[in-house]
Amino acid sequence: MQKMSDLFIQNIQNMPIWAKQVIAKEITNDIVKKLSDFAELMQMDDLFQYLKPKITFKGKQELQDKTLNLSEAYYLFLKDLVDENTIFETTIKNNWTLADTSKMFIRLGEEEFVSVPDWQKNKNVAMAMFLSGKIKTGEFLKKIGKIDANQLEQAIRYQKQLNEEGRHIKMASILIKMGFITDKGLDSLLILKDEAKKRLSLGIGFTSIKCDNPQDSQNQVLRMQKELQRLENENLIMKKRLKKLLNING
């Protein structure tokens, strides 16, 4: 069966070029507005969503034996890795949020069931840790190179000093106060984390859906996938008929 991520892209690609021009402009403006202080997070060829983690031998054994008795979602994730799916495909195929996927990805990595190059320094891993709540703002900024280790240490010492004085201030506010990031930069990080908690499902248009029962969500996604495939097939049939009527070859 065709991957849902491919169907998602096709749903856009099948639009007329004049519509895609407007969509591209509006989306680009929106991303730049929200992430203007984080140009490194706008490198579209290096997104966490494009990551295709490798399942390890240990991971294949766990998928087969289920020794740790993890929740079924983890085994769906491992199965997707066997199928060489990207994080994007895995997320929308299973109707998860990106935050859900991030949490499972980090857990499976800690168990050595999945691998990516240079785990400790990999910016995609850092993004997953941040979205899953595994690391906080300061550590994330250090891992993506926005601040250095010395600046983070200064901020930690200052926070400790304030705590001792009975003034409890969040690290993000301290980083702003020390001039290491801006208010706008903090807003960008909050947007990233908040947006990662939203689900994306495929439909005739684009919509975010949330069902109380996970099985209902999965069934709805499958129905949408079948409907999209049906429409795609009808589209191909209509094109063939039109070519025949107009006597167009190719």
Side-chain angles (χ1 to χ4, degrees), residues 18-166:
W18 54 265
K20 286 189 281 189
Q21 285 176 305
V22 173
I23 291 170
K25 183 177 184 297
E26 293 297 327
I27 289 176
T28 299
N29 289 342
D30 183 57
I31 293 174
V32 170
K33 179 181 177 182
K34 291 177 179 176
L35 299 179
S36 58
D37 277 19
F38 288 88
E40 60 272 29
L41 300 181
M42 293 189 285
Q43 301 302 314
M44 298 307 181
D45 291 333
D46 192 33
L47 288 175
F48 170 54
Q49 295 92 308
Y50 279 136
L51 184 65
K52 190 182 292 185
K54 301 292 184 184
I55 185 168
T56 62
F57 176 77
K58 190 175 178 181
K60 290 178 180 178
Q61 287 295 112
E62 177 62 25
L63 181 59
Q64 177 181 313
D65 302 332
K66 300 187 177 179
T67 306
L68 294 185
N69 194 30
L70 300 170
S71 68
E72 187 59 29
Y74 285 95
Y75 297 112
L76 288 173
F77 197 128
L78 290 173
K79 176 62 169 59
D80 278 343
L81 297 189
V82 172
D83 295 337
E84 299 186 344
N85 286 333
T86 62
I87 291 294
F88 182 57
E89 170 67 17
T90 295
T91 301
I92 65 173
K93 172 176 173 284
N94 294 293
N95 194 33
W96 297 335
T97 67
L98 189 59
D100 293 333
T101 307
S102 298
K103 289 176 184 177
M104 287 183 278
F105 168 70
I106 294 300
R107 171 72 190 282
L108 293 172
E110 291 172 341
E111 296 291 347
E112 299 181 344
F113 295 156
V114 304
S115 67
V116 298
D118 203 0
W119 178 274
Q120 293 300 325
K121 296 180 180 180
N122 192 294
K123 290 184 179 181
N124 284 320
V125 174
M127 176 61 76
M129 286 182 169
F130 177 66
L131 296 181
S132 66
K134 187 72 176 180
I135 59 174
K136 295 184 178 180
T137 305
E139 185 63 22
F140 173 64
L141 291 172
K142 188 191 79 163
K143 283 183 175 291
I144 66 171
K146 198 69 177 176
I147 63 174
D148 59 35
N150 182 54
Q151 289 172 319
L152 180 58
E153 183 59 32
Q154 289 179 49
I156 291 172
R157 285 201 302 267
Y158 185 43
Q159 185 182 48
K160 183 178 179 181
Q161 176 188 330
L162 292 175
N163 286 339
E164 290 172 351
E165 295 172 359

